[in-house]
């Protein structure tokens, strides 16, 4: 059972509240860039909106979901009350303070610096300090996940760690390490300059430090979705997990391969050597290994569920799947978007092909399809699965839930596919306005209009999602059955130490990161030519 329901609900509701506000900002951005009007031409308001939208969607929303999900799964998997509840609330309040501290200067126009921390643009110090507080609050969660697992292992010596907790702690440790890069940039580069202690900044070093966080953070966002793939979906559709061992290997490989890949975002950066760019490109390809393992394992698990329902034939079993089950539907739609987004990612990781789409709308399309598509739709599925256990009330119409999931899928396709095409046409991203009278402007205008339509569909879907959750609090009370996780075909009686703990994988994660980042960072720290004057955006001290 979940002992600290208020704690979990507080995290989820704050996450979904800021998500609802941020998605409205996203749709407004689509509209302001479109040719559908002629009176909105305020670039400052646009970049404020992008900064707020990106900060919430990139840092606040997924972090709160991971934290709430982690607290719930810690108690459910370990079957013990959370150790450190007061610290958990302290971390939650720190995130609130940090979010307000970052949001207020953005609203006042002091920090229209986007959310990617790329100097020499420098904003007001309170924005950066607010983001630091959000990270510190999340690190309390990381510590609590480790402490609770350690306490359980001491009380159950030699017993297999529940898969749900193994994966949750893996996600927490991944976040703790990937956040270090951005933290170093904020604490030693951006904040001192924002406070006026220095008027110049090592832009090359700052970009490399941010790249430490920039891509591995995607796998932190992915972790709750992957945990749901393995531990929720097979159970929810009446099946079995094909392999517990395969699942543990996948999560362990994410720890190892997710970190040393960020420099593939700096292919166009002359201050990073070609050798390290190639190395990071190779490791980016390696990240596909745990993803392919997951796709195989979950497809096998789904087939088992179908066979148990009477599904037959080489492909006839697909028809027998419970397509009316929201968990099955969310999984299928997530996999489709993951497939398209992953294919786009292969283009991004290629040293040669990346130059074709670098800084175009293609990149925007890729990460929206992966994060807002494949990942966020599983956040919805997680909420639908946990909510009755958090509120003690029945979930409402499954038909409305299925409609919401379909709308999210359709909206994301309509939003991102035109962006991919626009990227191939060379349409740049991070632009407030476009000149649609230029040659080829008609085609680009059509893609932007389609994106406005896609964004509107997503807004409707998000509104339905929030409505479903809110209505649940007013639904008749029920006594939910005990929460269970997916059972594997073969229950692990004992496990090798490497798959029953994360020490080996955390060690490899740190060693590989230092190998792939140590030399570029040390080199740039000595490169005084990389020191450039800061450009204050609204927040000059």
């Amino acid at each position: 059972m979940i002992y600290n329901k208020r704690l979990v609900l507080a995290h989820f509701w704050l996450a979904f509240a800021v998500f609802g506000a941020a998605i409205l900002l996203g749709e407004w951005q689509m509209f302001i860039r479109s040719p559908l009007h002629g009176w909105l031409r305020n670039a400052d308001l646009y970049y404020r909106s992008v900064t707020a939208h990106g900060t919430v969607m990139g840092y606040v929303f997924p972090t709160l979901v991971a934290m709430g999900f982690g607290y719930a799964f810690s108690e459910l998997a370990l079957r013990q009350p959370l150790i450190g509840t007061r610290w958990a609330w302290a971390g939650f309040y720190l995130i609130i303070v940090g979010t307000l501290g970052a949001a207020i200067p953005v609203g006042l126009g002091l920090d229209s610096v986007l959310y990617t921390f790329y100097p020499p643009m420098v904003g007001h110090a309170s924005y950066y300090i607010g983001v630091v507080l959000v990270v510190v609050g999340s690190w309390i969660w990381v510590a609590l996940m480790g402490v609770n697992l350690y306490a359980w292992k001491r009380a159950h010596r030699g017993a297999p760690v529940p898969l749900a907790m193994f994966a949750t702690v893996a996600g927490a440790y991944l976040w703790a390490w990937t956040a270090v890069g951005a933290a170093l940039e904020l604490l030693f580069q951006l904040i001192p300059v924002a406070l006026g202690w220095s008027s110049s900044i090592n832009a090359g070093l700052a970009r490399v430090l941010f790249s430490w966080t920039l891509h591995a953070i995607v796998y932190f966002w992915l972790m709750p979705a992957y945990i749901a793939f393995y531990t929720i979906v097979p159970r929810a559709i009446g099946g079995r997990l094909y392999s517990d061992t395969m699942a543990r290997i996948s999560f362990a490989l994410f720890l190892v391969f997710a970190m040393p890949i960020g420099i593939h975002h700096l292919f166009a950066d002359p201050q990073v050597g070609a050798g390290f760019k190639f190395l990071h490109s190779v490791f980016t390809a390696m990240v596909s290994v745990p993803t392919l393992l997951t796709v195989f394992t979950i497809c096998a698990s789904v087939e088992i569920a179908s066979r148990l329902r009477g599904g037959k034939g080489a492909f006839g079993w697909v028809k027998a799947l419970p397509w009316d089950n929201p968990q099955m539907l969310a999984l299928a739609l997530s996999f489709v978007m993951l497939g398209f987004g992953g294919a786009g990612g292969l283009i991004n990781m290629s040293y040669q092909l990346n130059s074709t789409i670098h800084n175009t709308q293609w990149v925007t399309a890729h990460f929206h399809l992966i994060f807002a598509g494949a990942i966020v739709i599983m956040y919805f599925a997680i909420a639908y699965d946990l909510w009755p256990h958090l509120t003690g009330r029945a979930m409402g119409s499954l038909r409305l839930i299925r409609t919401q999931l379909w709308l999210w899928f359709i909206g994301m396709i309509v939003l991102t596919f035109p962006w991919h095409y626009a990227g191939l046409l060379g349409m740049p991203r991070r632009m407030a306005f476009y000149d649609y009278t230029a040659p080829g402007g008609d085609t680009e205008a059509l893609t932007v209009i389609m994106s406005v339509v896609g964004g509107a569909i997503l807004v409707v879907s998000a509104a339905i999602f929030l409505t479903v959750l809110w209505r649940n609090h007013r639904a008749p009370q029920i006594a939910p059955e005990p929460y269970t996780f997916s059972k594997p075909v073969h229950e692990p009686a004992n496990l090798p130490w490497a798959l029953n703990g994360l020490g080996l994988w955390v060690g490899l994660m740190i060693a590989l990161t230092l190998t792939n980042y140590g030399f570029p960072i040390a080199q740039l720290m000595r490169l005084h030519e990389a020191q450039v004057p800061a450009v204050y955006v609204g927040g000059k001290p």
Side-chain angles (χ1 to χ4, degrees):
M1 65 175 291
I2 302 173
Y3 298 91
N4 288 284
K5 295 176 181 176
R6 288 183 58 198
L7 177 70
V8 176
L9 276 172
H11 283 78
F12 275 130
W13 265 121
L14 181 58
F16 294 136
V18 296
F19 159 78
I23 198 169
L24 290 175
L25 289 176
E27 171 61 358
W28 182 78
Q29 289 159 31
M30 292 301 94
F31 182 69
I32 198 172
R33 299 171 79 183
S34 76
L36 297 174
H37 62 86
W39 64 93
L40 292 171
R41 284 290 183 269
N42 189 323
D44 178 56
L45 286 178
Y46 175 80
Y47 287 114
R48 287 191 211 182
S49 172
V50 174
T51 304
H53 174 81
T55 303
V56 167
M57 291 300 200
Y59 308 129
V60 181
F61 169 52
T63 301
L64 283 167
V65 169
M67 291 172 70
F69 185 61
Y71 290 137
F73 264 39
S74 171
E75 294 191 332
L76 290 166
L78 301 181
R79 299 181 180 179
Q80 65 183 26
L82 182 74
I83 300 170
T85 305
R86 289 184 179 180
W87 280 105
W89 279 110
F92 176 72
Y93 291 128
L94 262 181
I95 288 180
I96 292 178
V97 173
T99 302
L100 291 174
I104 291 173
V106 171
L108 294 174
L110 301 176
D111 279 292
S112 303
V113 289
L114 309 185
Y115 55 97
T116 40
F117 304 158
Y118 280 153
M121 286 197 309
V122 176
H124 196 274
S126 61
Y127 170 71
Y128 301 119
I129 294 171
V131 174
V132 168
L133 291 179
V134 171
V135 174
V136 172
S138 70
W139 279 350
I140 292 176
W141 165 73
V142 173
L144 290 178
M145 291 299 97
V147 166
N148 277 271
L149 178 59
Y150 177 73
W152 185 90
K153 290 186 76 170
R154 285 194 62 182
H156 301 80
R157 293 187 184 278
V161 172
L163 174 62
M165 193 59 184
F166 179 89
T168 299
V169 177
Y173 289 166
L174 175 63
W175 169 241
W177 187 237
T178 190
V180 167
L184 292 174
E185 183 195 5
L186 288 165
L187 294 175
F188 297 106
Q189 295 266 291
L190 291 173
I191 291 177
V193 176
L195 290 173
W197 298 344
S198 172
S199 59
S200 64
I201 191 166
N202 189 325
L205 176 61
R207 285 197 295 271
V208 169
L209 287 174
F210 188 69
S211 76
W212 175 322
T213 300
L214 180 58
H215 204 91
I217 195 174
V218 174
Y219 299 99
F220 164 63
W221 298 339
L222 267 170
M223 280 296 190
Y226 273 62
I227 296 170
F229 290 157
Y230 283 107
T231 65
I232 292 178
V233 175
R235 178 261 297 162
I237 63 174
R240 287 257 182 166
L241 177 62
Y242 175 70
S243 171
D244 179 277
T245 302
M246 197 88 85
R248 291 172 195 267
I249 292 173
S250 297
F251 288 113
L253 291 183
F254 271 126
L255 278 183
V256 177
F257 292 134
M259 282 305 306
I261 64 175
I263 284 179
H264 82 249
H265 285 268
L266 303 177
F267 282 160
D269 195 312
Q271 293 171 329
V272 179
F276 279 98
K277 290 174 182 175
F278 173 76
L279 200 61
H280 282 239
S281 181
V282 171
F283 278 102
T284 306
M286 294 299 293
V287 172
S288 63
V289 175
T291 297
L292 292 174
L293 281 177
T294 298
V295 171
F296 172 80
T297 306
I298 300 306
C299 286
S301 305
V302 166
E303 182 180 351
I304 290 170
S306 174
R307 302 285 183 194
L308 291 173
R309 293 167 57 90
K312 296 180 180 178
F315 299 102
W317 60 269
V318 176
K319 187 178 178 182
L321 287 170
W323 292 106
D324 58 341
N325 186 315
Q327 298 296 330
M328 181 67 235
L329 183 61
L331 170 71
L333 300 179
S334 177
F335 269 23
V336 171
M337 290 187 281
L338 189 64
F340 283 118
L346 294 176
I347 305 297
N348 298 344
M349 80 166 199
S350 165
Y351 195 103
Q352 292 79 15
L353 294 177
N354 184 282
S355 60
T356 305
I357 46 83
H358 184 76
N359 270 340
T360 71
Q361 282 294 84
W362 175 283
V363 178
T364 315
H366 163 68
F367 73 75
H368 274 81
L369 202 48
I370 290 287
F371 173 60
I375 296 174
V376 170
I377 201 168
M378 290 309 297
Y379 288 180
F380 298 151
I382 289 167
Y384 290 142
D385 190 66
L386 281 176
W387 230 251
H389 297 272
L390 291 167
T391 63
R393 297 174 185 275
M395 191 53 80
S397 168
L398 294 182
R399 184 176 181 180
L400 188 61
I401 292 174
R402 290 194 295 270
T403 301
Q404 186 267 320
L405 294 172
W406 271 114
L407 283 175
W408 191 259
F409 173 75
I410 294 169
M412 197 55 63
I413 296 297
V414 176
L415 177 78
T416 58
F417 277 31
W419 275 351
H420 279 97
Y421 182 59
L424 294 176
L425 294 176
M427 177 182 265
R429 60 192 175 114
R430 295 176 175 148
M431 298 286 287
F433 312 114
Y434 298 114
D435 180 6
Y436 296 110
T437 62
D442 290 346
T443 306
E444 293 184 351
L446 180 61
T447 64
V448 178
I449 292 172
M450 291 175 69
S451 297
V452 175
V453 175
I457 297 172
L458 292 173
V459 169
V460 173
S461 174
I464 295 174
F465 169 69
L466 294 173
T467 302
V468 170
L469 295 188
W470 181 251
R471 285 172 59 180
N472 171 265
H473 287 268
R474 299 165 178 266
Q477 287 190 326
I478 59 170
E481 295 181 359
Y483 193 91
T484 59
F485 295 99
S486 304
K487 291 184 178 179
V489 174
H490 300 289
E491 292 274 5
N494 52 64
L495 289 166
W497 68 271
L499 295 180
N500 204 34
L502 294 159
L504 170 66
W505 311 109
V506 169
L508 287 173
M509 174 180 72
I510 294 174
L512 208 54
T513 307
L514 295 180
T515 302
N516 283 22
Y517 274 100
F519 183 79
I521 290 174
Q523 187 182 40
L524 284 166
M525 287 177 68
R526 298 196 305 270
L527 189 65
H528 297 296
E529 293 82 356
Q531 204 77 17
V532 297
V535 178
Y536 294 97
V537 180
K540 188 172 183 177

